[in-house]
Amino acid sequence: MKVIVCKDYDDMSKKAADLVISNIKEKPQIKLGLATGSSPIGLYKNLISANEDGEISFKFAKSVNLDEYIGIDPANDQSYQYFMNENLFNHVSFADTKLPYAPENDEKYAEEYNKYLDDFGQRDIQILGIGENGHIAFNEPGEVLNRRTSIVKLSQSTIEANSRFFESEEDVPKYAISMGMSDIFNAKTIILLANGKKKHDAVKKLIEGNTIDPKLPASFLSLHPNVYIYVDEEAYRG
Ligand code: F6R
């Protein structure tokens, strides 16, 4: 894992975007794995600017996303589909984009997405954020981690962290459909973004920890050969 300590959120977003931009220049038909949440918004802004400036184009690029809440319509402004539209897809034109979707708790939707991922093939880059509890996608800390896309129950820590986007904690969906660890690993390069003091504990354990532990799902990233961790000063030093 290569750790790149950045001054602040903007610096983190710019540096991570530069890596994505250079990859798109090299391979316009790039396959991207995308994340939602606060962490990648700045990165997406940089990609949008580079696209507007004519530096890169997404004309041949394809993307898949990590996860989506269950029970929220894609048109709802709390859905991850809506988030992606607002923060990236409405601004640049991809050849193809896809998010997992499950209107109800039924593993058949996870199987459908796994089939889609198998046909999609290996991603060139997977972008990740990290939960305060060390989750990646919605692979929550526990005794076991899912290999493939599954219907997952969100942990209390995640529900609390995500309640900032909802009117109240009760409104936060309790279930999601999420790629599993082996899906995340099926990317040539992984970029993990972590900013802010709240991420310090998880980041410290990830960088300094010596074990791979399902109670810190991000720790599995140390098994992947090509991981870049872009971390701002606050998340790095606490
Ligand atoms: C989002 C996702 C989550 C977030 C994580 C951090 O698609 O899979 O794992 O990356 O919860 O969220 P933020 O960036 O909002 O702190």
Side-chain angles (χ1 to χ4, degrees):
M1 295 189 299
K2 298 167 203 69
V3 180
I4 301 105
V5 182
C6 309
K7 195 158 61 70
D8 52 23
Y9 182 79
D10 287 347
D11 189 34
M12 175 190 85
S13 304
K14 169 88 177 63
K15 289 202 165 96
D18 285 347
L19 181 60
V20 179
I21 289 168
S22 69
N23 274 267
I24 297 175
K25 282 183 183 162
E26 236 171 70
K27 187 177 177 188
Q29 70 282 22
I30 194 162
K31 292 180 185 174
L32 294 172
L34 302 174
T36 56
S38 314
S39 311
I41 292 178
L43 185 161
Y44 295 154
K45 283 201 173 116
N46 280 278
L47 296 184
I48 294 165
S49 301
N51 180 67
E52 277 166 6
D53 296 347
E55 197 187 347
I56 50 167
S57 158
F58 288 83
K59 206 164 130 199
F60 303 108
K62 293 183 177 171
S63 73
V64 287
N65 262 71
L66 290 170
D67 42 23
E68 175 63 283
Y69 289 126
I70 290 175
I72 287 197
D73 191 85
N76 187 300
D77 61 5
Q78 303 287 12
S79 75
Y80 283 177
Q81 177 70 64
Y82 190 94
F83 173 99
M84 288 310 303
N85 294 346
E86 284 285 295
N87 289 290
L88 190 61
F89 300 154
N90 288 346
H91 308 276
V92 305
S93 187
F94 273 81
D96 197 22
T97 63
K98 177 87 172 171
L99 275 85
Y101 173 61
E104 59 199 358
N105 281 15
D106 189 331
E107 283 292 339
K108 79 173 180 208
Y109 300 106
E111 279 157 32
E112 272 170 28
Y113 198 59
N114 284 329
K115 170 123 195 8
Y116 189 89
L117 292 177
D118 291 343
D119 294 343
F120 188 84
Q122 191 183 36
R123 274 146 277 148
D124 296 288
I125 295 180
Q126 176 63 56
I127 293 159
L128 296 177
I130 183 170
E132 290 168 34
N133 61 4
H135 73 211
I136 48 176
F138 280 134
N139 294 283
E140 298 284 28
E143 300 303 323
V144 290
L145 295 171
N146 291 323
R147 211 166 63 79
R148 300 300 315 268
T149 307
S150 308
I151 307 290
V152 295
K153 192 172 185 340
L154 301 183
S155 70
Q156 188 52 32
S157 148
T158 300
I159 291 170
E160 276 164 29
N162 291 3
S163 65
R164 69 191 195 276
F165 301 114
F166 291 82
E167 265 186 28
S168 77
E169 207 179 294
E170 288 79 69
D171 296 335
V172 185
K174 308 294 179 279
Y175 289 87
I177 177 168
S178 171
M179 274 192 204
M181 297 301 279
S182 113
D183 299 315
I184 292 174
F185 263 57
N186 192 16
K188 286 183 200 151
T189 298
I190 294 178
I191 294 178
L192 181 133
L193 303 164
N195 67 285
K197 279 199 172 58
K198 285 186 175 168
K199 302 292 172 73
H200 174 65
D201 283 352
V203 165
K204 189 173 154 66
K205 283 188 207 149
L206 170 62
I207 295 173
E208 294 175 7
N210 194 24
T211 53
I212 291 153
D213 184 352
K215 294 198 174 63
L216 186 78
S219 65
F220 281 71
L221 292 176
S222 60
L223 295 172
H224 190 283
N226 207 18
V227 177
Y228 293 82
I229 300 176
Y230 289 91
V231 56
D232 78 346
E233 287 276 353
E234 284 191 346
Y236 189 69
R237 301 194 203 287

